[in-house]
Amino acid sequence: MPMISPRPFAVVAGLAILAMAGGVVWLLAPRWFSPPPTQFGWPATMTTIAGDGGRGGVDGVAGRARFGDPFALVIDRRGALYVADAGNTGRIRRIDPDGRVSTLPGSFGTPSGLALDPAGNLFVADTSANAIRKMTPAGVISTVAGDGVAGYRDGPAAQARFNGPIGVTVDGKGNVYVADSYNDRLRVISSDGQVRTLAGGDAAGFADGDGAAAAFDTPTGVALDRHGLLLVADSGNDAIRQVTPDGHVSTLAMTDPNDGAGLLQGMVGLAPTWDGFVYVAAYRRGRIVEMAPGGALRVLAGAGSTIDGNAALPLVGPAGLAVARSGALYVADASAYAVRKLSRRGPGDAQIAKALAAPALPALVHAPIVPWPLRPQAGWHEVVGDMGEVRGNYQGDARDHLHAGLDISAPIGATVLASAAETVRDPQPNWEVEGLSEGLRIDQLTYIHMRVGRTPTGEPLDPARFQIMRDGEGRVVRVRVKRGTRFRVGDPLGTINRMAHVHLELGSPRAKVNALSLAFPGFGDHVAPRIDDVYVIDGAGRRLSERAKGRLVVSARAGKLGIVVEAWDQVDANAARRRLGLYEAGFQILAADGSAAPGFARPRVTIEFDRMPTTPDAARIAYAPASGDAVHSDQRTRFLYVVSNHIRHGRAAPGGWDPADLPPGDYTIRIYAADRAGNVASSGRDLPITIR
């Protein structure tokens, strides 16, 4: 990757020069006032600056404030943070240095990118309004460019057209740079009010080069680096691009398509430091990536970090970034409805930050009724899969992953309908066009296994919301759904593909909640789970088989053992062949007289699929070998739960039961197996054992 060559900072008449980068404002002064140098992969601690994890629009003290969609940040020279909060009302929020949150006057459609100029004017990329807006320090709002109609047109600012702009930044001369996201171009609004295209052509693609010969795919975040070069989060290409003032485009870093880690996948925002590093927010991956001046990438915080302690810093859906003069990094954790701060961890600080609370339950959980995503929306539909079930892959691994949502049976070609009134938050909310797992995430709900926005023959269901793109032979190659697109209950979203069901997920990608917590009309569950087998395995996964007097013999010297239960569930009106997974499972040890053994006054609930675990090997922690589902393998559906491991509240970790904790003698392992409705298995749950 090309390396950004260093240049000395200019100091004019001893005065500070303001440098804007993606809304980040630094005061660049003589060297003795410079911020500390940036370290590649620095140890961090995380605090929540504002937001209690619930969605809303509440002002006040930081710990009680609420946001609707905190998507972008900018920090002024006094340390106040401005937040583009594209909730239901579309407002700009301010977080003062003392932590108090307030709402600025005026409203927007879908505020996304933010930037400040030297005079303190705030520029806003108003995505759904297809315009760039400006708010003065006095609170006066005006339209800088864009006539409000989605399109593409250069020229006088008032007549220019944009298509869902998401990123914005401004230089010291008053030129405003715009990531015109769904036109796949970089545009400039000059200080004299003219709009021109800096780089990008007529179609989404990937190409370096000059002006229109270059190509982008859904550019989102933009920022100016220390040399006045434009940095671009080229989201659709998983790449960081650089654009010179005359429109020459080059690539600084790009995710290798063969790299499963995908460090830049799902990136939205970026922010450079004063000394040439760049931070990138990977929205769907839940992490912050740091790029060194030479192009090397490293996960700084969140999922996949290898920096000591930093992987434990939980991020749900980071979108916007702002670098403070101290070197601290502010993060708009949009999917967690919070603003975080990453600070350097000192020698005397705790190794990792205190664990942050899980995001509040989605508002839909509290709704009295949530319509089904199929017709009739108020009628009964068969549930054929639920959260936590083991799933295999087509390469023969029967424990490849855990099922993340709710499967609702439907005939191929049936229309999928919106179950809630929601607004699209993700700049790229849909994926895998014409694939089996094609889907669309709107906000709290994600719909999968459908042809997004089109009929079975590929015709658009709603051209105003879905842009169908075809190749030269007329085949559908892409469907675009813009950030800020609004849906009402019952609006068509797509049609069922050959998977013959719609897979419904609740919550953001890194904080999924069990969709059975939703109140669907006509749905009931009065059927208790069934237990088919209970057994014990050693550390190598081998089933213990020695018996004496009808009891399984367990050695006190065996070390930690695994307790396994084969169990499954049904709900009302399921087909007789249908097997669903459990919601909760655990175990209890009873003494020979039937009383609870020490430490087992109540069953230990070790498995609970209330939230989706984000641990990569969660399926192998939750399930024993020989588990699998009939969809991806030839064997019948089998759920073999390792109840001596721990899978609860979105976390998964190996465990084990040590028989040496109990005196030798006769005992009974009693399994606890329950469904989401609270039905508990009462037969087949006991395994008599003898500890020697």
Side-chain angles (χ1 to χ4, degrees), residues 102 115 121 147 209 290 364 386 395 416 541 559 606 639 668:
S102 59
N121 295 304
D147 67 359
E290 183 181 22
L364 286 173
D386 61 6
Q395 287 71 50
V416 179
T606 54
F639 302 127
T668 297

Side-chain angles (χ1 to χ4, degrees), residues 365-612:
V365 170
H366 306 292
I369 291 291
V370 175
W372 294 91
L374 299 161
R375 295 188 181 96
Q377 288 197 278
W380 173 86
H381 294 272
E382 185 180 17
V383 171
V384 297
D386 61 6
M387 176 176 277
E389 293 180 0
V390 64
R391 289 290 187 267
N393 58 31
Y394 293 106
Q395 287 71 50
D397 184 354
R399 294 182 296 161
D400 178 69
H401 62 281
L402 295 178
H403 193 247
L406 194 67
D407 287 347
I408 305 163
S409 181
I412 297 173
T415 302
V416 179
L417 308 173
S419 289
E422 295 192 301
T423 302
V424 173
R425 305 300 183 196
D426 193 330
Q428 297 185 96
N430 58 306
W431 54 87
E432 203 175 314
V433 64
E434 296 294 350
L436 287 177
S437 294
E438 183 177 355
L440 168 68
R441 177 192 173 203
I442 301 179
D443 186 359
Q444 299 177 82
L445 291 177
T446 299
Y447 309 78
I448 302 176
H449 301 318
M450 64 175 182
R451 297 176 178 86
V452 173
R454 58 199 193 280
T455 68
T457 58
E459 298 305 311
L461 287 170
D462 183 349
R465 292 188 174 101
F466 303 99
Q467 180 186 359
I468 312 297
M469 304 170 74
R470 303 175 185 274
D471 63 14
E473 298 179 1
R475 292 172 297 199
V476 176
V477 295
R478 188 149 187 191
V479 178
R480 262 194 163 153
V481 188
K482 293 165 55 177
R483 169 173 160 81
T485 302
R486 298 179 184 272
F487 290 91
R488 302 179 301 263
V489 173
D491 284 341
L493 304 178
T495 52
I496 297 290
N497 63 23
R498 55 193 175 91
M499 289 296 285
H501 67 266
V502 59
H503 173 91
L504 189 70
E505 294 182 358
L506 174 64
S508 66
R510 299 286 302 176
K512 295 173 185 173
V513 176
N514 196 312
L516 279 177
S517 59
L518 301 176
F520 292 104
F523 177 81
D525 184 0
H526 300 86
V527 183
R530 176 174 171 176
I531 296 175
D532 288 342
D533 195 9
V534 182
Y535 58 94
V536 179
I537 57 177
D538 63 18
R542 296 170 299 207
R543 183 169 179 161
L544 303 189
S545 58
E546 182 183 354
R547 291 187 175 270
K549 297 181 180 180
R551 292 178 172 272
L552 181 70
V553 176
V554 177
S555 171
R557 299 183 299 275
K560 288 190 175 182
L561 302 174
I563 300 174
V564 181
V565 55
E566 180 171 4
W568 50 281
D569 189 35
Q570 287 192 318
V571 297
D572 295 357
N574 262 148
R577 71 182 185 281
R578 189 71 61 204
R579 293 192 173 195
L580 302 176
L582 301 179
Y583 177 70
E584 287 183 326
F587 70 102
Q588 186 179 24
I589 306 295
L590 305 178
D593 63 359
S595 63
F600 288 93
R602 296 185 183 88
R604 293 181 181 176
V605 179
T606 54
I607 294 177
E608 181 181 359
F609 291 115
D610 56 339
R611 294 179 181 269
M612 185 65 183

Side-chain angles (χ1 to χ4, degrees), residues 112-302:
S112 296
L114 295 178
L116 279 167
D117 71 6
N121 295 304
L122 184 68
F123 292 83
V124 182
D126 196 347
T127 306
S128 62
N130 303 297
I132 305 301
R133 316 286 294 281
K134 182 176 77 172
M135 178 184 292
T136 69
V140 178
I141 299 174
S142 61
T143 298
V144 175
D147 67 359
V149 177
Y152 170 68
R153 185 164 63 200
D154 283 340
Q159 301 173 20
R161 286 187 173 172
F162 300 88
N163 190 1
I166 290 176
V168 64
T169 191
V170 59
D171 66 18
K173 298 179 181 179
N175 299 306
V176 179
Y177 299 86
V178 180
D180 193 4
S181 303
Y182 302 103
N183 275 326
D184 304 298
R185 293 176 167 97
L186 274 299
R187 316 278 293 281
V188 182
I189 309 167
S190 63
S191 56
D192 62 359
Q194 294 292 312
V195 176
R196 65 182 177 88
T197 299
L198 181 62
D202 292 335
F206 178 78
D208 288 341
D210 296 319
F216 300 90
D217 187 338
T218 323
T220 51
V222 291
L224 287 166
D225 72 4
R226 56 182 174 163
H227 305 311
L229 301 174
L230 191 67
L231 303 177
V232 182
D234 191 2
S235 300
N237 287 316
D238 301 330
I240 300 173
R241 316 290 292 279
Q242 178 182 274
V243 186
T244 64
D246 59 359
H248 178 75
V249 178
S250 58
T251 300
L252 298 181
M254 186 175 185
T255 289
D256 183 342
N258 298 315
D259 177 13
L263 296 187
L264 298 178
Q265 286 183 1
M267 67 176 181
V268 170
L270 50 72
T273 68
W274 70 276
D275 53 352
F277 290 79
V278 181
Y279 298 116
V280 181
Y283 185 52
R284 269 162 270 134
R285 291 280 187 157
R287 60 194 178 200
I288 304 299
V289 178
E290 183 181 22
M291 184 180 77
L297 299 174
R298 188 169 186 177
V299 178
L300 179 69

Side-chain angles (χ1 to χ4, degrees), residues 551 588-592 666-670 686-689:
R551 292 178 172 272
Q588 186 179 24
I589 306 295
L590 305 178
D666 291 343
Y667 297 90
T668 297
I669 297 175
R670 173 164 289 179
D686 291 344
L687 175 65
I689 65 170

Side-chain angles (χ1 to χ4, degrees), residues 628-638:
D629 69 293
V631 175
H632 297 89
S633 65
D634 295 332
Q635 67 186 52
R636 65 184 177 88
T637 299
R638 300 184 70 192

